[in-house]
Structure formats: structure tokens, C-alpha cells
Amino acid sequence: MDPVLLGELLSGLMFFGIIGFLLLGFPVAFTLSGVSLLFGLVGMWFGVFDPSNLGSLANRYIGYMTNEVLVAVPLFIFMGVMLERSKIAEQLLLTMGKLFGNLRGGLGMSVIVVGALLAASTGVVGATVVTMGLISLPAMLRANYDPRLATGVICASGTLGQIIPPSTVLIFMGDMLSGINAQVQMSKGNFAPTPVSVGDLFAGALLPGLLLVGLYLAWTIFKAIFDPESCPATPVPQEEKAHLFREVLTALLPPLMLILAVLGSILGGIATPTEAASVGAVGALVLAALRWRLSFSILRETAIATATITCMVFIILFGAAVFSIVFRLMGGDNLVHEFLANLPGGTLMAVAVVMFIMFLLGFILDTFEIIFIVIPITAPILLALDVDPVWLGIIVGVNLQTSFLTPPFGFALFYLRGVAPHSVSTAMIYKGVLPFVCLQVLAIAILFVFPEIATWLPKAIYN
């Protein structure tokens, strides 16, 4: 058999083999590296893979560990976990619930607004979903909300941290797209390409994030108008209204100040994402201290949680590096390029197919697993077809947000199932998130039709 064709065949089988082993429940990082090395040995046997290429892994790993941009990841995780421990989310939920309570659907709208604020100040999906599930779900059920609407609103709002900056997913994608775009542009003869940064993706994600918030609010308002029994009003007692304004200021000001300090410094060009992340981490400590919630035990819990989440993400990244080297050097790049470049419909069809594949992978894989596997394979081809790297990063981010909501392995569903009362069945949670998955697909379609939603702000800020 032709060695080129054999290498492409092995690389395709390797991709599906990894998916199969993941479905069997094997750990992601070890599956990525183990299956890749196994296929690398097969490729070496047939003479289509040179094992000496694995020597570049050491330099790649050192590059990850010394990459200043990626230092922002544990810092933002620390900030999010500390803010969750300081009960800022709890105070926000209770206060915003009172503020919107007199409206039909008001509790649902308050959860969406709080979800957006927490996304911009913490970005930790698990902590946000669990906190809102513990506080808001019982209140919504007591107010006779439809359990499907209540669970759907909580799960969807809790995942906004995946697209609204500071998102750890955007940090990784920004770093990956920066290197890939530079390589693609140099291969096309452009030796001074316009750089792509994490700040570009943060700026580009703001309007799409607000678009999602607007779609969620529109759906809740639609339910309030046409199905009022699903989300009745919860009037606030008169004696509580007297201090409501002060409560709103007390609850809103701390996270808003932190958001302005972190995002404002990045978008204003005052600080890099890593420097802003350090400001956010210190700011979270200060807010916890001001609320008398800073103690050695809480600091220890936060540090352990930060180390655990960071190690989980980076060990997947290390495993994905093995997969990327074996896949590309056995001819997988050529296979993907031929497939995408020969699709009818041109560049947009190629992007649509990649988005559809990512959407399907979201049913069985986590967000980080998908970007570490799919982005290195598909992004070079799409960028070579003149796709805007910022637009690509944002549309991928919106797409991958659905991976938290799509059964059977949607993590937001698991988080809420763990804290929801027994009266709320798993089927109710699954049915509740379906309208919001459709809203996210609608947001992707809008970004396809109006790409300026993602590209206008970065150009306006960074010229």
C-alpha cells in the first residue's frame, strides 16, 4: 500500500480509537498519549512514522511550563474558587432575586444576570452551577416554577464562564491560535503577520457573551408571557424593600470592581492577562478578608482546589501533545486538509463541518479535551483558508459551551444533579437544558451571519 495513504489511514483510525477508549471510561490524558504511542509503534512498523520525532516533546513541555500566558490559568482558577468560598455568589443571588422578584420570570432573570456576573468575575463553571443550584433552585421550586425551566436556566447561566472573559478556555485557545496563525501566515509568505493574543479573544468574546445572556433573558420573558404558570412572580415583602437598594449596592459593587480591575486592565492595554490574573487573585483575597471569610482553612482549600483543577487541565494538554505529533507526522494533516478543502460550499462549509463535529464531540468529551484534540488538527487548515482567527476562536468557544449541557456527559447536568432535590428528576434536567442548547446553536448561526459581533471590538480596541 502507498505509505502516504497508509499513514493517513492510521491517523484516522487513531482519532476514532481515542474516542472509543474515552467512551469506555479510560482517563483522558493517558488515553491520548497511550493510544497515540500505540499507533506510533504501528506506524513505525510500517515505516510511516519516525519515532525520533517524539524527541520534540521535551521542548514542547518546557514551552508549556515556561509560557507566561498560561500562568494566568491557575491564577484565574484561584480567583474563582476564592470568590466562591467568600459567599459573594450567594449574596448576589439572594439580592438579585429580591430585585426581580415582582416580575413573572423574575427569579429566572436574576439567575441569568448573576450567572453573567459570576462568569466575568470567577469563570469556574462547577462552583457557579453548584452555588446557584443550592440557593436558587429551592427558591424557584417554592415559587412553583416549572422544574424544567428552573434547571435549564441554572445550568445554562452557570456555563457562561466558558465564553465570558476571563475564561480559561479562551486563554488556551488564544495561546494555541497565536502560534498556529503565525506558522500559517509565514508559510503563505507573510513574515510579519498581525499577532493574535488572548486579549483579542477576551475582547471578541464580550459581545457574543452578552448575546447569549440576551437570548437566555428573551426565552425567560417568552415563557413569562406565553406560559406564565411556569415562572410566577414572587413579590418581596414590604419591610424588605426598604433596604433593598443598599443590599443591591453591597452585593453588586465588589464583583463589579473586580471585573473592572481585571478585564479593564486587559482591554485597556494596561496589563497582560497574566498580570491581570494576579490582580484578580489578590483582589479575591481582599474581598474575602473584607467579608471576614479569609482564614487558613479556606486558603488551604482554595489552594488545593486550584492545584487539582490546574493539574487536570495541564496533564490533558501534555497527553494531547503526544497525539498531535503522531497524528500530524503520520499524515493526518493532509487527510484533514483534503477533506475540508474539497467540501462544496468553500470556507464557510469547512468551518460549519468542523463546528458540527465539535458539537457532536461535546456529547461525550469535555471542553478542554476537544480543544486540545481538534484545534491543532483543524485550525491550521481553516486559517490557511483565510478564516479570521479571532472569529474562529470565539465561535469555537460558544460551540464548546454546549458540551457542558449536552447529555449524557454534560458536566453542568452532573453538578446540578448532585445538589438538586429528589423531586427533580434527571429527565427534567435533561429536558430543561434543551431549549438553551438550541439558543446556543442560534447564537452560532448569528455569528456566522454577522461575524462582526466577534471581530469589531478587538479591532476597535487594538486597531
Side-chain angles (χ1 to χ4, degrees):
M1 182 182 289
D2 179 18
V4 175
L5 181 60
L6 180 59
E8 292 178 355
L9 177 62
L10 286 175
S11 61
L13 289 174
M14 181 176 70
F15 178 81
F16 290 106
I18 285 173
I19 300 299
F21 275 97
L22 291 175
L23 287 174
L24 292 175
F26 287 91
V28 177
F30 305 119
T31 298
L32 286 170
S33 55
V35 174
S36 300
L37 290 175
L38 178 63
F39 273 86
L41 288 174
V42 175
M44 183 180 65
W45 177 268
F46 286 105
V48 296
F49 178 72
D50 184 357
S52 65
N53 290 309
L54 293 174
S56 63
L57 276 174
N59 289 332
R60 186 172 292 200
Y61 288 168
I62 291 173
Y64 291 149
M65 291 185 286
T66 57
N67 190 329
E68 183 181 339
V69 174
L70 297 185
V71 176
V73 173
L75 290 172
F76 277 130
I77 293 172
F78 179 90
M79 180 181 77
V81 176
M82 178 57 72
L83 287 176
E84 186 263 331
R85 296 290 195 277
S86 64
K87 303 294 183 182
I88 285 180
E90 180 177 336
Q91 186 181 10
L92 262 177
L93 284 166
L94 294 174
T95 305
M96 299 306 287
K98 294 178 183 179
L99 186 64
F100 289 96
N102 290 326
L103 303 172
R104 281 202 304 265
L107 281 179
M109 289 186 278
S110 69
V111 168
I112 294 169
V113 172
V114 170
L117 289 171
L118 293 179
S121 55
T122 68
V124 181
V125 171
T128 303
V129 173
V130 168
T131 301
M132 294 197 295
L134 286 171
I135 300 169
S136 294
L137 184 57
M140 296 169 87
L141 295 177
R142 285 195 301 269
N144 295 319
Y145 265 63
D146 184 337
R148 293 170 298 182
L149 177 62
T151 54
V153 165
I154 290 172
C155 286
S157 303
T159 61
L160 287 170
Q162 287 298 289
I163 188 63
I164 295 179
S167 163
T168 52
V169 171
L170 294 181
I171 294 173
F172 278 106
M173 277 204 295
D175 184 66
M176 295 167 73
L177 289 174
S178 175
I180 294 171
N181 184 61
Q183 292 176 6
V184 169
Q185 294 302 319
M186 284 190 288
S187 68
K188 296 169 71 173
N190 181 8
F191 295 101
T194 302
V196 179
S197 67
V198 174
D200 289 318
L201 262 65
F202 276 11
L206 280 178
L207 294 181
L210 293 176
L211 171 65
L212 280 173
V213 173
L215 290 174
Y216 295 168
L217 289 172
W219 174 251
T220 307
I221 294 170
F222 174 84
K223 294 288 288 185
I225 295 173
F226 296 100
D227 188 14
E229 293 182 358
S230 66
C231 48
T234 54
V236 180
Q238 192 63 39
E239 59 271 15
E240 294 186 17
K241 289 184 178 180
H243 306 289
L244 186 56
F245 180 74
R246 187 177 63 188
E247 289 183 24
V248 170
L249 285 181
T250 304
L252 275 178
L253 280 180
L256 284 178
M257 290 173 62
L258 193 63
I259 292 168
L260 289 174
V262 174
L263 292 186
S265 60
I266 296 173
L267 300 181
I270 301 172
T272 65
T274 302
E275 293 166 344
S278 64
V279 171
V282 173
L285 287 170
V286 171
L287 292 181
L290 291 175
R291 294 178 59 83
W292 299 100
R293 295 287 303 174
L294 184 59
S295 64
F296 179 77
S297 62
I298 288 179
L299 190 61
R300 180 176 179 273
E301 292 172 9
T302 303
I304 292 174
T306 301
T308 302
I309 297 171
T310 303
C311 289
M312 180 269 294
V313 173
F314 275 87
I315 196 67
I316 295 174
L317 178 61
F318 290 165
V322 183
F323 165 78
S324 177
I325 288 176
V326 177
F327 182 87
R328 296 180 67 181
L329 295 178
M330 281 202 305
D333 272 5
N334 295 330
L335 179 67
V336 175
H337 184 273
E338 291 172 6
F339 172 70
L340 293 178
N342 294 323
L343 284 171
T347 302
L348 284 180
M349 179 57 70
V351 177
V353 169
V354 172
M355 291 303 108
F356 181 67
I357 293 172
M358 285 187 169
F359 179 77
L360 294 180
L361 290 176
F363 283 81
I364 56 175
L365 299 179
D366 179 42
T367 299
F368 287 106
E369 300 159 15
I370 296 173
I371 64 171
F372 292 155
I373 295 173
V374 179
I375 292 294
I377 297 174
T378 60
I381 292 92
L382 295 178
L383 296 184
L385 295 173
D386 294 326
V387 174
D388 187 297
V390 175
W391 178 76
L392 178 63
I394 300 307
I395 204 167
V396 168
V398 175
N399 190 356
L400 293 183
Q401 190 181 337
T402 61
S403 67
F404 278 89
L405 300 178
T406 45
F409 299 117
F411 282 92
L413 311 179
F414 293 158
Y415 295 142
L416 186 60
R417 175 67 279 172
V419 298
H422 294 296
S423 59
V424 178
S425 66
T426 303
M428 289 178 180
I429 298 176
Y430 283 5
K431 291 177 181 177
V433 299
L434 285 179
F436 294 93
V437 172
C438 293
L439 291 175
Q440 290 177 332
V441 173
L442 175 60
I444 295 173
I446 293 172
L447 288 173
F448 262 89
V449 178
F450 304 103
E452 297 82 8
I453 296 175
T455 60
W456 172 78
L457 191 57
K459 291 178 181 177
I461 294 177
Y462 300 112
N463 196 21

